[in-house]
Amino acid sequence: MNRKSKDGKILLLQGNEALAEGALAAGCRFFAGYPITPASEIAEHMAMKLPAMGGTFIQMEDEIASMGAVIGASLAGVKAMTATSGPGFSLMQENIGFACMTETPCVVVDVMRGGPSTGLPTLASQGDVMQARWGTHGDHPIIVLAVSSVRDCFEIAVFAFNLSEKYRVPVIILSDEVVAHTRETFVPPSPDEIEIFNRVTPTVPPEWYIPYEDTGAGVPAMAAFGDGYRHHVTGLTHDERGFPSQRSDEIDALMRRFFRKITQGFHEIQRVETFMMDDAEIAVIAYGSVARSSRRAVIDARERGVKAGLLQLVTLFPFPRRHVEKVLQQCRAVLVPELNIGQMSREVKRVHRNSSRVETLNRLDGRLITPREIGDCLIKMYY
Amino acid sequence: MAEGMTGLVHKYLRHDKKFPHIWCPGCGNGIVLGSLIRAIDRLGLDKNKVALVSGIGCSGRMTTYADFNTLHTPHGRALTFATGLKLSREDLTVIVIMGDGDATAIGGNHYIHAARRNVDMTAIIVNNQVYGMTGGQYSPTTPYGAMTTTTPYGMVEHAFDISALAVAAEASYVARCTVYHAALLDQLIESAIRRKGFSSVEVLSNCHIQFGRRNRMASPVKMLEWFKENAVRMHATSKMKPEELQGKFIIGVLADSERPSYNDEYEKVREKARGISVEPKPPARFEG
């Protein structure tokens, strides 16, 4: 595909296909999944492309199994991904927890549709935001990214793999039905333009290898099964050699390292995009497909004399607090439009210090929030 | 013999790291682990190229003690992890240890699909007919009428025949044994590992603490005698009437066939995909 782009060809892709292409460009060579609307095209694209690249596609018996196979592949040293929607994402939570505990890199795409339960299979929602953060049980670090366009889908897929490999943590990509099925033109970057990070593997001899050693970065080197570094991987809380532990000092050290490694990486993990923010007096904080409506709304509001701006959250978790705080200090009012009852707006309200007003705009009917709806709110807030 | 066994233990167990083990005295898990080690040793497999995957339960702890690439997965999911491993690292010999609750209750669906899919790996199911680690609740293989902590008035469900499930799903190799028949178990595990495709070895094991104690077999010896008296070799079953086989354990090789494994089939897919120069269903595009 990259060769074609060098020939000057432009691709017309839907979000799901671009996501799959991004994953392949990032080096993903294993995909296990289970059919589900509106995510199935990702699996279909992977089934088509992976075998010729020497990779493996497999359709498992359910989403629990898909997530298990993905972790198994990653432990064997292969970059692996799965994709699903709400109901399947619920099933994956068990094994996502295992990936958190064993620090196994993997990427999980959740193309959000209306819920709870079977909900609205063919309509958009942003109802899974908190599930993405806290879906699996126990304290755990996790990275959650949101996509809003076809270009995003490609780029964020690469970003997700890089973060997952670098921090040894599952990365969730939240897409939604609108982003997934919108077709847009897209010129993919050539391979040499794509920066790829591969997990750090041990350089010491096997007898010196400590699989969960606390390093400065908090991310231990990861040996693949079969490479001579025989070690134990367990979902039980473990010591730095990987064996089950009930010693409070070892448990505490492990848990705190999980969080420390992510905190130390905030500068590169927390990604946001700003639009017309320089002199903005009111701002929209949005993500996913709603961020696109918001962009349009900001342009329209500017034409009507409203000094509006947009803070688009690419990283939802770890919550990009310092970026949001800056906007809250700069603007007298902030609008958080969402396709849910207010999941990210709660986070915004959590970090805000009464310096500005936080308004919400919520749609729960499976339809996208329109630029006009956002624009009307902005005008009301401004005057 | 004793010296030979000790040598093997030193060679294959993490004896200096993670012992004493958590199993009760007299537990059948040790016999299964011993058989597995003898089989691997006879096959001459490189420890670095063996992946031992387990689920949750007493049997799941086997991976902690054995010195291979070991993976201790969530309850019931061992086969799914093993599938990902084997499909990504063809050179690994993948062996999966599960309990009866692990393989047939919470992981039952994974088990039948792994057998059907025929991924090249060996599943060893330690069937002690009870949930031992959680305190003796009934499992899908608890015999009808048995007493457990969750069937205080006797078991009213009928037990799964694990191996029959694997045969029906057309696994390449299916065998059953008991921990009493340890020498046979060595051979069965060895040929199961040797066989390409999915192989399943069900081992009836004794949990005299959680199962035997409530069912008039409160010692390992009593439970092993039960296995000894009720085991029937596969080749002897042809001469027996169905009613004679009631309550018996048929041991030996139940199915053994040469079927292409998933790995072989997928290699064909890769070749086919490489051979196609034009994508059959390309993403829509236009000249820019």
Side-chain angles (χ1 to χ4, degrees), chain A residues 291-332:
Chain A
R292 301 193 80 182
S293 298
S294 305
R295 195 172 281 250
R296 180 77 236 170
V298 165
I299 295 169
D300 293 347
R302 286 266 172 180
E303 278 172 14
R304 295 167 75 174
V306 176
K307 285 192 170 174
L310 167 69
L311 176 72
Q312 181 182 341
L313 306 181
V314 174
T315 305
L316 302 187
F317 297 102
F319 185 66
R321 181 177 189 141
R322 63 204 168 96
H323 299 282
V324 172
E325 276 176 345
K326 212 175 121 198
V327 169
L328 287 167
Q329 278 159 14
Q330 178 189 335
C331 300
R332 57 186 158 90

Short mmCIF file of all heavy atoms in Angstrom, two decimals, chain A residues 291-332:
data_model
loop_
_atom_site.label_atom_id
_atom_site.label_comp_id
_atom_site.label_asym_id
_atom_site.label_seq_id
_atom_site.Cartn_x
_atom_site.Cartn_y
_atom_site.Cartn_z
N ALA A 291 -15.25 15.28 18.19
CA ALA A 291 -14.22 16.30 18.02
C ALA A 291 -14.29 16.92 16.63
O ALA A 291 -13.95 18.09 16.43
CB ALA A 291 -12.84 15.70 18.25
N ARG A 292 -14.76 16.14 15.66
CA ARG A 292 -14.87 16.69 14.31
C ARG A 292 -16.04 17.66 14.21
O ARG A 292 -15.92 18.72 13.59
CB ARG A 292 -15.04 15.57 13.30
CG ARG A 292 -13.86 14.61 13.34
CD ARG A 292 -13.87 13.71 12.18
NE ARG A 292 -13.33 14.34 10.99
CZ ARG A 292 -13.26 13.73 9.82
NH1 ARG A 292 -13.73 12.50 9.68
NH2 ARG A 292 -12.74 14.34 8.78
N SER A 293 -17.15 17.29 14.82
CA SER A 293 -18.28 18.23 14.87
C SER A 293 -17.83 19.49 15.58
O SER A 293 -18.19 20.61 15.20
CB SER A 293 -19.45 17.63 15.63
OG SER A 293 -19.92 16.47 15.00
N SER A 294 -17.04 19.32 16.62
CA SER A 294 -16.60 20.45 17.42
C SER A 294 -15.71 21.39 16.61
O SER A 294 -15.80 22.61 16.72
CB SER A 294 -15.84 19.96 18.65
OG SER A 294 -16.63 19.06 19.38
N ARG A 295 -14.83 20.81 15.81
CA ARG A 295 -13.94 21.62 14.99
C ARG A 295 -14.75 22.55 14.07
O ARG A 295 -14.51 23.74 13.97
CB ARG A 295 -13.05 20.69 14.16
CG ARG A 295 -11.84 21.32 13.53
CD ARG A 295 -10.96 20.26 12.92
NE ARG A 295 -10.15 19.58 13.95
CZ ARG A 295 -8.83 19.72 14.07
NH1 ARG A 295 -8.17 20.48 13.22
NH2 ARG A 295 -8.17 19.10 15.02
N ARG A 296 -15.75 21.93 13.43
CA ARG A 296 -16.63 22.70 12.55
C ARG A 296 -17.36 23.80 13.36
O ARG A 296 -17.46 24.94 12.93
CB ARG A 296 -17.64 21.73 11.92
CG ARG A 296 -18.64 22.33 10.99
CD ARG A 296 -18.02 22.61 9.63
NE ARG A 296 -18.20 24.01 9.29
CZ ARG A 296 -17.61 24.61 8.25
NH1 ARG A 296 -16.77 23.93 7.49
NH2 ARG A 296 -17.85 25.85 7.98
N ALA A 297 -17.84 23.41 14.51
CA ALA A 297 -18.59 24.35 15.36
C ALA A 297 -17.70 25.53 15.76
O ALA A 297 -18.17 26.68 15.81
CB ALA A 297 -19.12 23.64 16.60
N VAL A 298 -16.43 25.27 16.03
CA VAL A 298 -15.51 26.33 16.43
C VAL A 298 -15.31 27.31 15.27
O VAL A 298 -15.34 28.54 15.45
CB VAL A 298 -14.16 25.73 16.91
CG1 VAL A 298 -13.08 26.81 16.97
CG2 VAL A 298 -14.33 25.07 18.27
N ILE A 299 -15.14 26.77 14.07
CA ILE A 299 -14.96 27.63 12.89
C ILE A 299 -16.20 28.52 12.71
O ILE A 299 -16.10 29.74 12.51
CB ILE A 299 -14.72 26.78 11.62
CG1 ILE A 299 -13.40 26.01 11.74
CG2 ILE A 299 -14.72 27.65 10.36
CD1 ILE A 299 -13.18 24.95 10.70
N ASP A 300 -17.38 27.89 12.78
CA ASP A 300 -18.62 28.64 12.61
C ASP A 300 -18.79 29.70 13.69
O ASP A 300 -19.21 30.83 13.43
CB ASP A 300 -19.83 27.69 12.63
CG ASP A 300 -19.85 26.78 11.42
OD1 ASP A 300 -19.07 27.05 10.46
OD2 ASP A 300 -20.59 25.78 11.42
N ALA A 301 -18.46 29.35 14.92
CA ALA A 301 -18.61 30.29 16.03
C ALA A 301 -17.68 31.48 15.86
O ALA A 301 -18.05 32.63 16.14
CB ALA A 301 -18.32 29.58 17.35
N ARG A 302 -16.46 31.21 15.38
CA ARG A 302 -15.50 32.31 15.14
C ARG A 302 -16.09 33.30 14.15
O ARG A 302 -15.93 34.51 14.29
CB ARG A 302 -14.19 31.74 14.58
CG ARG A 302 -13.35 31.02 15.62
CD ARG A 302 -12.34 31.97 16.22
NE ARG A 302 -11.65 31.34 17.35
CZ ARG A 302 -10.70 31.95 18.06
NH1 ARG A 302 -10.33 33.18 17.77
NH2 ARG A 302 -10.13 31.34 19.06
N GLU A 303 -16.77 32.77 13.12
CA GLU A 303 -17.38 33.64 12.11
C GLU A 303 -18.45 34.54 12.73
O GLU A 303 -18.76 35.60 12.21
CB GLU A 303 -17.99 32.81 10.98
CG GLU A 303 -16.92 32.39 9.96
CD GLU A 303 -17.44 31.40 8.94
OE1 GLU A 303 -18.68 31.21 8.84
OE2 GLU A 303 -16.59 30.81 8.25
N ARG A 304 -19.00 34.10 13.82
CA ARG A 304 -20.04 34.88 14.48
C ARG A 304 -19.48 35.66 15.66
O ARG A 304 -20.22 36.09 16.55
CB ARG A 304 -21.19 33.97 14.93
CG ARG A 304 -21.89 33.36 13.72
CD ARG A 304 -22.81 32.23 14.10
NE ARG A 304 -24.03 32.72 14.72
CZ ARG A 304 -25.05 31.93 15.05
NH1 ARG A 304 -24.99 30.65 14.81
NH2 ARG A 304 -26.13 32.43 15.61
N GLY A 305 -18.16 35.80 15.67
CA GLY A 305 -17.54 36.65 16.67
C GLY A 305 -17.26 35.99 18.01
O GLY A 305 -16.87 36.65 18.96
N VAL A 306 -17.46 34.70 18.08
CA VAL A 306 -17.20 34.00 19.34
C VAL A 306 -15.76 33.50 19.35
O VAL A 306 -15.35 32.79 18.45
CB VAL A 306 -18.17 32.80 19.51
CG1 VAL A 306 -17.85 32.03 20.77
CG2 VAL A 306 -19.61 33.29 19.52
N LYS A 307 -15.02 33.93 20.36
CA LYS A 307 -13.63 33.48 20.44
C LYS A 307 -13.57 32.08 21.04
O LYS A 307 -13.32 31.91 22.24
CB LYS A 307 -12.81 34.47 21.27
CG LYS A 307 -12.51 35.75 20.50
CD LYS A 307 -11.47 36.55 21.21
CE LYS A 307 -10.98 37.69 20.31
NZ LYS A 307 -10.08 38.59 21.02
N ALA A 308 -13.82 31.09 20.17
CA ALA A 308 -13.88 29.70 20.64
C ALA A 308 -12.65 28.94 20.17
O ALA A 308 -11.99 29.32 19.20
CB ALA A 308 -15.15 29.04 20.12
N GLY A 309 -12.34 27.89 20.88
CA GLY A 309 -11.22 27.00 20.51
C GLY A 309 -11.57 25.57 20.84
O GLY A 309 -12.59 25.28 21.46
N LEU A 310 -10.70 24.65 20.38
CA LEU A 310 -10.96 23.23 20.62
C LEU A 310 -9.73 22.56 21.22
O LEU A 310 -8.61 22.74 20.72
CB LEU A 310 -11.34 22.54 19.31
CG LEU A 310 -11.33 21.00 19.32
CD1 LEU A 310 -12.45 20.44 20.19
CD2 LEU A 310 -11.44 20.43 17.91
N LEU A 311 -9.95 21.82 22.27
CA LEU A 311 -8.92 20.92 22.78
C LEU A 311 -9.40 19.51 22.49
O LEU A 311 -10.38 19.04 23.07
CB LEU A 311 -8.71 21.10 24.30
CG LEU A 311 -7.71 20.12 24.91
CD1 LEU A 311 -6.28 20.45 24.51
CD2 LEU A 311 -7.83 20.09 26.44
N GLN A 312 -8.73 18.86 21.52
CA GLN A 312 -9.13 17.49 21.18
C GLN A 312 -8.25 16.51 21.95
O GLN A 312 -7.03 16.54 21.84
CB GLN A 312 -8.99 17.25 19.67
CG GLN A 312 -9.41 15.85 19.30
CD GLN A 312 -9.25 15.56 17.81
OE1 GLN A 312 -9.15 16.48 16.99
NE2 GLN A 312 -9.21 14.30 17.47
N LEU A 313 -8.90 15.66 22.70
CA LEU A 313 -8.15 14.68 23.46
C LEU A 313 -7.88 13.46 22.58
O LEU A 313 -8.81 12.82 22.10
CB LEU A 313 -8.93 14.25 24.71
CG LEU A 313 -9.41 15.36 25.65
CD1 LEU A 313 -10.15 14.74 26.85
CD2 LEU A 313 -8.24 16.20 26.14
N VAL A 314 -6.62 13.17 22.37
CA VAL A 314 -6.25 11.93 21.68
C VAL A 314 -6.05 10.85 22.74
O VAL A 314 -6.55 9.74 22.63
CB VAL A 314 -4.99 12.13 20.82
CG1 VAL A 314 -4.51 10.80 20.24
CG2 VAL A 314 -5.25 13.14 19.71
N THR A 315 -5.32 11.20 23.78
CA THR A 315 -5.16 10.29 24.91
C THR A 315 -6.25 10.61 25.93
O THR A 315 -6.34 11.74 26.42
CB THR A 315 -3.78 10.49 25.57
OG1 THR A 315 -2.79 10.32 24.57
CG2 THR A 315 -3.56 9.46 26.68
N LEU A 316 -7.09 9.61 26.21
CA LEU A 316 -8.13 9.82 27.23
C LEU A 316 -7.60 9.43 28.61
O LEU A 316 -7.90 10.07 29.60
CB LEU A 316 -9.37 9.00 26.89
CG LEU A 316 -10.03 9.26 25.52
CD1 LEU A 316 -11.35 8.51 25.42
CD2 LEU A 316 -10.26 10.75 25.29
N PHE A 317 -6.83 8.33 28.63
CA PHE A 317 -6.20 7.89 29.88
C PHE A 317 -4.80 7.42 29.59
O PHE A 317 -4.61 6.73 28.60
CB PHE A 317 -7.01 6.77 30.54
CG PHE A 317 -8.38 7.21 30.94
CD1 PHE A 317 -9.48 6.86 30.16
CD2 PHE A 317 -8.58 7.98 32.07
CE1 PHE A 317 -10.74 7.28 30.53
CE2 PHE A 317 -9.84 8.40 32.43
CZ PHE A 317 -10.93 8.05 31.66
N PRO A 318 -3.83 7.72 30.43
CA PRO A 318 -3.90 8.57 31.60
C PRO A 318 -4.42 9.96 31.24
O PRO A 318 -3.95 10.56 30.28
CB PRO A 318 -2.45 8.63 32.10
CG PRO A 318 -1.62 8.26 30.91
CD PRO A 318 -2.44 7.32 30.10
N PHE A 319 -5.39 10.42 32.00
CA PHE A 319 -6.09 11.67 31.68
C PHE A 319 -5.10 12.83 31.54
O PHE A 319 -4.33 13.09 32.46
CB PHE A 319 -7.11 11.97 32.78
CG PHE A 319 -7.95 13.18 32.48
CD1 PHE A 319 -8.83 13.17 31.40
CD2 PHE A 319 -7.88 14.31 33.27
CE1 PHE A 319 -9.61 14.28 31.11
CE2 PHE A 319 -8.65 15.43 32.98
CZ PHE A 319 -9.52 15.41 31.90
N PRO A 320 -5.11 13.51 30.38
CA PRO A 320 -4.12 14.57 30.13
C PRO A 320 -4.41 15.82 30.95
O PRO A 320 -4.76 16.87 30.43
CB PRO A 320 -4.25 14.84 28.62
CG PRO A 320 -5.60 14.36 28.25
CD PRO A 320 -6.00 13.29 29.23
N ARG A 321 -4.23 15.69 32.22
CA ARG A 321 -4.63 16.70 33.19
C ARG A 321 -4.01 18.08 32.93
O ARG A 321 -4.70 19.09 32.91
CB ARG A 321 -4.23 16.20 34.58
CG ARG A 321 -4.59 17.13 35.68
CD ARG A 321 -4.22 16.53 37.02
NE ARG A 321 -4.77 17.35 38.07
CZ ARG A 321 -5.30 16.89 39.19
NH1 ARG A 321 -5.32 15.60 39.41
NH2 ARG A 321 -5.79 17.69 40.09
N ARG A 322 -2.68 18.08 32.68
CA ARG A 322 -2.03 19.40 32.57
C ARG A 322 -2.53 20.16 31.33
O ARG A 322 -2.63 21.38 31.34
CB ARG A 322 -0.51 19.27 32.59
CG ARG A 322 0.06 18.50 31.48
CD ARG A 322 1.42 17.90 31.78
NE ARG A 322 1.74 16.94 30.73
CZ ARG A 322 2.48 17.23 29.66
NH1 ARG A 322 3.03 18.40 29.54
NH2 ARG A 322 2.69 16.32 28.72
N HIS A 323 -2.89 19.43 30.26
CA HIS A 323 -3.42 20.09 29.07
C HIS A 323 -4.80 20.66 29.35
O HIS A 323 -5.14 21.76 28.93
CB HIS A 323 -3.49 19.11 27.90
CG HIS A 323 -2.17 18.56 27.50
ND1 HIS A 323 -1.27 19.28 26.75
CD2 HIS A 323 -1.57 17.38 27.77
CE1 HIS A 323 -0.18 18.55 26.55
NE2 HIS A 323 -0.33 17.39 27.17
N VAL A 324 -5.60 19.89 30.06
CA VAL A 324 -6.97 20.32 30.37
C VAL A 324 -6.93 21.50 31.35
O VAL A 324 -7.67 22.47 31.18
CB VAL A 324 -7.79 19.14 30.93
CG1 VAL A 324 -9.15 19.61 31.44
CG2 VAL A 324 -7.97 18.07 29.86
N GLU A 325 -6.06 21.40 32.35
CA GLU A 325 -5.96 22.48 33.34
C GLU A 325 -5.60 23.81 32.69
O GLU A 325 -6.12 24.86 33.05
CB GLU A 325 -4.91 22.11 34.41
CG GLU A 325 -5.49 21.24 35.50
CD GLU A 325 -4.45 20.78 36.52
OE1 GLU A 325 -3.24 20.89 36.25
OE2 GLU A 325 -4.87 20.29 37.58
N LYS A 326 -4.70 23.73 31.71
CA LYS A 326 -4.29 24.94 31.00
C LYS A 326 -5.50 25.61 30.33
O LYS A 326 -5.68 26.82 30.41
CB LYS A 326 -3.23 24.56 29.94
CG LYS A 326 -2.20 25.64 29.70
CD LYS A 326 -1.14 25.14 28.75
CE LYS A 326 -1.09 26.03 27.52
NZ LYS A 326 -0.41 25.42 26.38
N VAL A 327 -6.32 24.78 29.70
CA VAL A 327 -7.50 25.30 29.01
C VAL A 327 -8.50 25.86 30.03
O VAL A 327 -9.10 26.92 29.82
CB VAL A 327 -8.15 24.19 28.15
CG1 VAL A 327 -9.52 24.61 27.65
CG2 VAL A 327 -7.23 23.83 27.00
N LEU A 328 -8.64 25.18 31.14
CA LEU A 328 -9.58 25.64 32.18
C LEU A 328 -9.14 26.97 32.77
O LEU A 328 -9.97 27.79 33.15
CB LEU A 328 -9.70 24.59 33.29
CG LEU A 328 -10.48 23.32 32.93
CD1 LEU A 328 -10.27 22.23 33.97
CD2 LEU A 328 -11.97 23.61 32.76
N GLN A 329 -7.83 27.18 32.83
CA GLN A 329 -7.33 28.45 33.36
C GLN A 329 -7.49 29.58 32.35
O GLN A 329 -7.78 30.71 32.69
CB GLN A 329 -5.85 28.31 33.75
CG GLN A 329 -5.68 27.69 35.14
CD GLN A 329 -4.31 27.08 35.33
OE1 GLN A 329 -3.39 27.33 34.54
NE2 GLN A 329 -4.17 26.27 36.36
N GLN A 330 -7.31 29.22 31.08
CA GLN A 330 -7.34 30.23 30.03
C GLN A 330 -8.77 30.68 29.70
O GLN A 330 -9.01 31.85 29.45
CB GLN A 330 -6.68 29.65 28.76
CG GLN A 330 -6.69 30.58 27.57
CD GLN A 330 -6.21 29.86 26.31
OE1 GLN A 330 -5.48 28.88 26.37
NE2 GLN A 330 -6.63 30.35 25.17
N CYS A 331 -9.72 29.74 29.75
CA CYS A 331 -11.07 30.05 29.27
C CYS A 331 -12.04 30.25 30.43
O CYS A 331 -11.89 29.66 31.49
CB CYS A 331 -11.57 28.91 28.40
SG CYS A 331 -10.52 28.68 26.96
N ARG A 332 -13.04 31.09 30.16
CA ARG A 332 -14.01 31.30 31.23
C ARG A 332 -15.08 30.23 31.24
O ARG A 332 -15.77 30.01 32.23
CB ARG A 332 -14.61 32.70 31.15
CG ARG A 332 -15.28 33.05 29.84
CD ARG A 332 -15.67 34.54 29.88
NE ARG A 332 -15.84 35.11 28.57
CZ ARG A 332 -17.00 35.13 27.92
NH1 ARG A 332 -18.07 34.59 28.46
NH2 ARG A 332 -17.09 35.69 26.73
#
